[in-house]
Structures are given as C-alpha cells and as structure tokens.
Amino acid sequence: MGETSLLFSRNLAGCYRQLGLEGGSVLLAVSGGADSCALLVGTALVREALSLRVEVATLDHGLRPEARRDTEAVVRLAARWGLPCHVRELGLRPGPGVEERARHARYAALEALRRERGLGTVATAHTATDQAETLLMRLVRGTALRGAIGIHRARAALVRPLIERTREEVEAFLAEQGTGFVHDSMNEDRTFLRARLRHDLLPALSAAVGFCVVPHLAAFTRLAAEDEALLARMADEAWGRLLLPDGSLDAVGVRALEPALRRRVLVRLMTGAGAEVDGPSLARVLDAVGEGGTVTLRGGHVPGGLQLMAMGGRVRCVRREGPADEAAACLVLEGEGSQGLQPGTQWHFGVGSGTPPLGALALFLREDTRWPLTVRTRRAGDRVRGPAGSRKLQDVLVDGRVPREHRDRVPVVTDAGGSVLWVPGVWNSPDAGAVRLYLWALPPGTGKPGGCAL
C-alpha cells in the first residue's frame, strides 16, 4: 500500500473509531463519483481491522440518462471488494426545487434500506470541500452562526467519515489505488450555485491567497459548531427562565439577554408559533422587543398571519385578526327566553328568570332596562358609566389586563339606547339590581347551556 493510501486509510479508520463504529455495521451511500468511490474502497481496506460489517447502496434518481451506467459501475466496484450492493430507483422528475427534492428522496431511501438490512448507520461521502462549498453558499445567501456549522459530521444513524478530507486527497487516494470513478454532469452544470462556487469561486479564492482555502473554511465550520452548541445550551436555559405559564416570555428578561441569546430565544418563539424567520423579520422583531411594540410576521399556515407583541411585560406571538364584521358579530336579545351564540366572540348569551346555567356569569337587570339588548364587540368611542363618571372602554380593558390581541373579541352588551351595560368578566354596570330577570353568559368552550329555567 502506497504512502497516500496508508495515510488515507489510517485517517478513515481513526474516524470510524471516533464515531463509535468499531465492531458495528454501516451502509455506504455510493454514487460512483470520486468521493463515494474513495469511501467504498477506503472502508473495504479497514473493515477487517475494525470488525465492521459493510454494505453498499447506490441510487438512480431518474434525472440523468447515464445514471444506469453509474449504478452498474458501483455494483462492479462493490463486487470487486466483496461488498453486498443494493440498487434503488427513485423516479424523480426534473423541475423547480430538484436539488432539495432529490436530497429528501435520497436520505429517505437510504434510511429505509438501512432499517431493512438491519445496519447501524448510513455513511455518506461528504468531504471538507463539500463543507467549504456549503459554508460559502450560506454566507452569500445570509446566515448566522448556526448556518455556518455547515454539514454535520454525525447525526442519528448518519455519519460522514470523510468530512475532514479534501477532494484533492480523495482523488490522490483513488489514483494510487488505480480506481476510476464517474463524473456527474450535474456537478458541472453552472446553473446550480454549488457548481459555480466549486469551479469558479473556490479556485479564485485559493489563487488570491496563494494556498488552498478549503481546509481553513472547513476548520471554521468545526469551531462554529462548538460555539453554536454552547450558545444553544445557554439559550435553552434562558428560555426555561423566561417562559411564562401562558406561553409568552418575560419582556424585561428578554431585553436583558445578551444579543446572541436574545436572537435565539426570539427565533424559538417565532418558529414555535409557525412564523417564517429570516434576517429582515428577525431584525423587525428585535426592534419591536426593544421598543415595546408590535410587528407583523409572515405565518406559514396561520389564517390572517401573525403578530409579535412586546407589551404589558410580555413577549408573545398571536394570531393577527382584523376587526370583526359588526353586523355578523352582533346578537340581539329581545327579552325573556332569548338566547344565542355571538359569532364574533363565540360566547353564549341568554335572558332568564330561574337559575343561571352552570358556570355562567350573570348580570341582574333593572325593570327599566331598555330592550332589545345587543351583544357586539367594542367600537370606537365606547364608554362605561361608573361611580366616578364615565370612562373609555379601552381604559377599562387595559386596567382589566385584557391582552391587546383579545380586546376586539371581548363581548360588549348594550341596551336599546347604545349604553354599555356589561362586559362579561371585565366590567359590570353599577346600575344593575336584584330583580326578576338576569342576563347570563357562557364563555367559549364552556359547553352548551343547561340547568336553567327559561
């Protein structure tokens, strides 16, 4: 074995040991390209020393006419080294998002085959060069430290034993072994960003500084992974301290966090609510939290979208709802025996003279009550009358600590003259009296009214 092959094999065996695979089993994902062929040959060379059970998988995505030729080449190479080889056809179609679709289909097929064969893990042939390309792709598109981690060395049932070897090392190893490999035309297609970075940008960077930049870029991703792991643990601890019982966060505590932790905690809040997170939206959220304001977010499948609100000592994401249609949200109660569901709030109201329904709130009505009563949502200019005179309903809701996002869904009961009689659970009219009739209200989710005589 030549010096290059000896060093390559020694490094590969050391990596397998570090990954805890000595005495284990592995499914090699081999496309027929240089990287994956080196993974196959290198693993075959060290399998006996590691007591490693090895099988090979090769996939035909259905996107290239020469793919069958490539899978046949992999089958022959595996047979030369005495390794079982499995061929799977994925049947993908060209079109938008083909790279992402192919990646998902590829990993799903590999995982299914791993389980079927009873193997411990899947090994892919990503190299330090792939790592450098991935880092550049994310940097030019905009990323934070988490995105700079790049390709993980190991995940659940997935390892990348060549992640610290460059493509130059891989090809030198194959040349010394006398092993050929296929060339994927998609890797040469400059319509893909990765191909442009591989063939144009990386060589230009290396030429500009006078040495190969790939190992340095790959080393940065390793350091970034260590730093991100520490910050992620600290952000989890901060989240646990600041989370309030209603799912919101303590606003003062969020503002007191260091910026790196504040960003992570707020991203967790946003993603948990289904909001889309990108650089501009996170910048707006940080401003809103700092100023104690509100910002609209794009929410994937949330009707009406989302708002992040940093008010009242809390930071929370809520559904963004416009004012309810006044006519549709009104319930009219003509007198004793009237009842119904108010569409705008989903509260159930009724007028009775017996025992209120179980769990209901009640307001006793004066004999001179002006009928009919109307249940609606708040309107501009609404005021309530108290011992000290009239007040804005808005102020009453604020004093009652009704969250801002709920105020347009609070039921307001008015008499025939438009005077506010009742805001259930928030405010009662001081003119209410113990007479024969009362108005009852069941909050949303309480159930159907029962136990009353109407």
Side-chain angles (χ1 to χ4, degrees):
M1 186 183 296
E3 183 178 346
T4 297
S5 296
L6 186 62
L7 179 60
F8 187 90
S9 300
R10 185 181 298 134
N11 287 331
L12 182 58
C15 186
Y16 275 129
R17 288 191 178 95
Q18 290 171 10
L19 292 167
L21 289 176
E22 188 169 10
S25 57
V26 63
L27 177 67
L28 306 179
V30 181
S31 66
D35 300 342
S36 61
C37 285
L39 177 64
L40 187 157
V41 175
T43 303
L45 288 171
V46 301
R47 60 178 165 162
E48 289 187 9
L50 296 174
S51 300
L52 187 63
R53 175 188 164 200
V54 182
E55 297 189 17
V56 175
T58 185
L59 309 175
D60 180 352
H61 293 78
L63 298 172
R64 299 179 296 116
E66 64 271 24
R68 183 175 297 276
R69 177 206 67 192
D70 297 346
T71 58
E72 291 172 352
V74 173
V75 171
R76 290 193 298 271
L77 182 62
R80 186 191 312 166
W81 289 94
L83 300 177
C85 186
H86 312 280
V87 180
R88 294 290 185 270
E89 296 184 359
L90 304 185
L92 297 177
R93 294 183 178 275
V98 66
E99 288 179 289
E100 187 69 9
R101 288 189 288 114
R103 187 178 72 85
H104 282 295
R106 180 165 58 250
Y107 281 109
L110 290 169
E111 174 60 13
L113 182 58
R114 180 192 72 82
R115 290 174 178 270
E116 177 187 321
R117 299 296 300 168
L119 298 165
T121 191
V122 171
T124 65
H126 292 89
T127 65
T129 306
D130 295 309
Q131 187 76 286
E133 292 166 0
T134 299
L135 173 63
L136 291 175
M137 288 175 69
R138 293 181 178 178
L139 288 176
V140 298
R141 287 172 172 165
T143 189
L145 183 61
R146 185 175 181 181
I149 294 173
I151 304 169
H152 291 266
R153 185 189 190 198
R155 286 187 145 173
L158 178 66
V159 296
R160 285 148 177 149
L162 300 183
I163 199 65
E164 295 183 5
R165 310 275 70 81
T166 66
R167 191 159 293 129
E168 288 73 15
E169 292 176 85
V170 162
E171 294 184 0
F173 168 72
L174 290 177
E176 190 168 275
Q177 286 291 317
T179 301
F181 55 90
V182 300
H183 294 273
D184 185 344
S185 59
M186 292 183 70
N187 289 333
E188 310 298 322
D189 188 350
R190 281 177 165 77
T191 60
F192 297 111
L193 175 59
R194 184 179 289 275
R196 297 196 297 274
L197 294 176
R198 175 177 301 168
H199 299 295
D200 300 331
L201 182 56
L202 272 175
L205 285 174
S206 296
V209 298
F211 54 82
C212 180
V213 299
V214 167
H216 300 277
L217 294 175
F220 170 75
T221 66
R222 292 195 297 273
L223 297 175
E226 294 174 3
D227 292 349
E228 174 58 27
L230 173 62
L231 287 169
R233 288 196 299 271
M234 294 174 68
D236 285 343
E237 294 169 359
W239 175 273
R241 291 195 310 271
L242 300 176
L243 186 64
L244 300 175
D246 63 357
S248 63
L249 298 173
D250 176 74
V252 174
V254 172
R255 295 186 188 105
L257 293 174
E258 292 293 332
L261 298 180
R262 190 184 314 140
R263 287 195 302 272
R264 285 164 173 77
V265 166
L266 291 173
V267 166
R268 180 169 175 176
L269 181 67
M270 295 164 68
T271 54
E276 297 176 13
V277 181
D278 55 24
S281 65
L282 181 56
R284 291 193 298 271
V285 164
L286 289 167
D287 287 343
V289 170
E291 298 168 1
T294 301
V295 63
T296 299
L297 305 174
R298 292 192 302 274
H301 302 290
V302 180
L306 292 163
Q307 282 186 319
L308 183 137
M309 309 182 75
M311 308 175 74
R314 298 182 300 151
V315 181
R316 68 267 194 203
C317 287
V318 299
R319 292 179 182 272
R320 185 170 177 263
E321 298 178 337
D325 178 75
E326 289 187 359
C330 288
L331 170 67
V332 177
L333 302 171
E334 299 288 349
E336 184 175 359
S338 299
Q339 65 171 300
L341 187 72
Q342 185 198 5
T345 66
Q346 299 303 305
W347 281 66
H348 204 114
F349 285 85
V351 182
S353 58
T355 303
L358 185 65
L361 305 175
L363 175 74
F364 290 99
L365 300 172
R366 295 171 56 91
E367 290 184 356
D368 59 355
T369 297
R370 293 179 289 177
W371 298 90
L373 304 183
T374 299
V375 186
R376 58 171 174 79
T377 52
R378 65 172 180 161
R379 296 175 183 171
D382 276 342
R383 302 183 73 89
V384 300
R385 290 184 294 111
S390 69
R391 298 181 64 205
K392 292 180 180 179
L393 176 56
Q394 164 73 9
D395 295 339
V396 174
L397 295 172
V398 172
D399 291 348
R401 302 186 68 82
V402 177
R404 180 176 178 179
E405 64 271 19
H406 295 162
R407 293 173 195 166
D408 285 328
R409 292 296 180 271
V410 170
V412 177
V413 181
T414 64
D415 64 14
S419 297
V420 177
L421 296 180
W422 194 25
V423 184
V426 180
W427 178 85
N428 289 344
S429 170
D431 295 334
V435 295
R436 191 175 66 89
L437 291 180
Y438 60 83
L439 176 65
W440 55 264
L442 281 168
T446 306
K448 294 182 179 179
C452 60
L454 296 180

